[in-house]
Amino acid sequence: MGLKEFSSKVWVGAVLFSIVNVFMYYSIGKFWIGGSSFLPLIGSQVQKFLFPLVVNAGVVVGTFLAALLTREFIIRKPTSDIVKRSILGGFLMGIGVTLAPGTCSTPFVTGMPMLGVNSFLSVIGIVIGAYIGYRWVGRK
Amino acid sequence: MTLAQPTLLLGFLFGVVFGFIVQRMSFCVSTDLAQAFAGNPRRILTWLTIIFIITGAGFVYLGPKAVGQLRGYGIYNIISGIFFGVGIVLSGGCVLGTLRRMGEGFLHSWVVFVSWLPGMALVVYVLNPILQGTYHIPEKMPLLSDVLHISNWAAYALVAVVLLVMTCWAYRKK
């Protein structure tokens, strides 16, 4: 098994993600967060969320580098139907992440391991919402 | 905080490493939840359990704190989750999944990213003033251990066991 194949195993990624997440908390007292980190882009809480915004800029650069190195980087143009769904979906995501901050990918990778009650509630809501979306998309 | 601060540079480098990992493991809550709804929850339960066990042990040891404290906790988490859940299925990616695909060259993920902003602005600039007074922010956001009146390690072990049992069930299921 080559390095490329090994690194694509879900358990390998989960172990590495966890180690980096804990090391980040240990070394600088911060951890990865998702949705709220983009509040500075709409001029809200710039100072508070500048750090996570920079982290997520790094995430995009990291994925770009990984995709480039593994020759998985391809520009993919969407169809107009996908663009419409992306706009609606993105808009709903924007509401979700801001209405109760910490409700995004964060509760799965950071919030639940932090044992926050709010994160467990968010996961319940996300699963319900994703199921509604799944049924809705399936009907179309 | 200025962009020249070493912490920001460190944060950016941590982000690059996170990005590398999520690209290689094709991380996406949306895709994995859809797979679970279609009858195969193995993938989501595998990474969720591993991340919880390792990250949770580290966080509990270092001192856990709730993430996302701007509007307290309760019904808003459920409502937000529903908005977010529908959104990720429609757009085809969670926050990390969208950032990953942006880096991989999916142009629709850039559309999703830009579309977050009006949704966020709607809440911050229109709904927030209306919603004030409809929620309570506690001085300390409760952890699962506070609610169950057990130690952090006991709460951690409880969730870890539940996730492990669910994962074992998923792998035994034909």
Side-chain angles (χ1 to χ4, degrees):
Chain A
M1 187 191 298
L3 188 62
K4 183 178 169 182
E5 198 186 335
F6 180 72
S7 67
S8 67
K9 300 248 175 240
V10 69
W11 68 266
V12 173
V15 169
L16 292 175
F17 191 98
S18 307
I19 291 170
V20 176
N21 214 7
V22 173
F23 183 67
M24 186 174 167
Y25 189 46
Y26 169 74
S27 57
I28 56 177
K30 295 176 187 294
F31 37 80
W32 182 85
I33 64 164
S36 301
S37 65
F38 304 103
L39 283 171
L41 297 180
I42 57 163
S44 175
Q45 310 200 52
V46 176
Q47 288 301 310
K48 184 168 183 179
F49 291 111
L50 181 62
F51 177 81
L53 178 66
V54 170
V55 173
N56 280 324
V59 169
V60 178
V61 172
T63 58
F64 170 70
L65 291 175
L68 215 57
L69 280 172
T70 53
R71 296 181 182 173
E72 290 174 5
F73 180 83
I74 305 167
I75 297 283
R76 292 141 169 123
K77 289 181 187 168
T79 62
S80 62
D81 268 359
I82 290 181
V83 170
K84 283 178 205 162
R85 264 171 54 176
S86 300
I87 292 171
L88 178 61
F91 181 72
L92 293 175
M93 286 170 76
I95 294 173
V97 299
T98 322
L99 202 55
T103 304
C104 51
S105 312
T106 309
F108 293 92
V109 297
T110 305
M112 275 173 50
M114 281 289 192
L115 302 176
V117 172
N118 57 334
S119 296
F120 286 94
L121 293 172
S122 292
V123 166
I124 292 169
I126 291 169
V127 172
I128 295 169
Y131 186 71
I132 294 168
Y134 176 75
R135 298 297 298 229
W136 181 14
V137 171
R139 272 187 198 163
K140 288 195 169 185
Chain B
M1 194 185 280
T2 66
L3 279 170
Q5 284 190 333
T7 312
L8 284 182
L9 179 64
L10 262 176
F12 181 78
L13 294 175
F14 272 114
V16 172
V17 177
F18 277 131
F20 212 93
I21 296 166
V22 297
Q23 196 281 332
R24 294 311 306 136
M25 71 183 284
S26 302
F27 184 95
C28 187
V29 173
S30 168
T31 311
D32 295 346
L33 273 177
Q35 214 175 65
F37 296 144
N40 184 6
R42 286 183 188 176
R43 189 181 152 85
I44 192 166
L45 284 171
T46 300
W47 64 252
L48 190 63
T49 304
I50 291 172
I51 286 180
F52 182 84
I53 289 174
I54 300 175
T55 312
F59 285 172
V60 171
Y61 177 75
L62 294 168
K65 55 180 175 184
V67 183
Q69 306 168 350
L70 297 182
R71 211 187 301 277
Y73 69 100
I75 191 68
Y76 279 107
N77 294 105
I78 307 272
I79 296 169
S80 288
I82 292 173
F83 272 104
F84 183 77
V86 174
I88 60 174
V89 175
L90 283 178
S91 67
C94 62
V95 170
L96 260 181
T98 301
L99 296 176
R100 168 172 73 79
R101 290 190 178 92
M102 284 164 68
E104 288 177 334
F106 286 83
L107 295 183
H108 89 271
S109 294
W110 286 89
V111 175
V112 175
F113 177 76
V114 173
S115 303
W116 291 344
L117 305 181
M120 295 172 90
L122 175 74
V123 176
V124 170
Y125 296 111
V126 181
L127 292 181
N128 269 358
I130 300 168
L131 296 175
Q132 264 181 4
T134 63
Y135 54 89
H136 166 70
I137 304 172
E139 270 182 39
K140 179 189 174 283
M141 284 284 277
L143 302 178
L144 194 62
S145 45
D146 299 322
V147 175
L148 298 176
H149 303 291
I150 53 179
S151 70
N152 287 336
W153 282 112
Y156 161 76
L158 182 70
V159 179
V161 167
V162 170
L163 285 172
L164 275 171
V165 168
M166 287 169 72
T167 308
C168 289
W169 164 80
Y171 275 88
R172 290 185 68 164
K173 195 169 132 236
K174 282 184 183 173

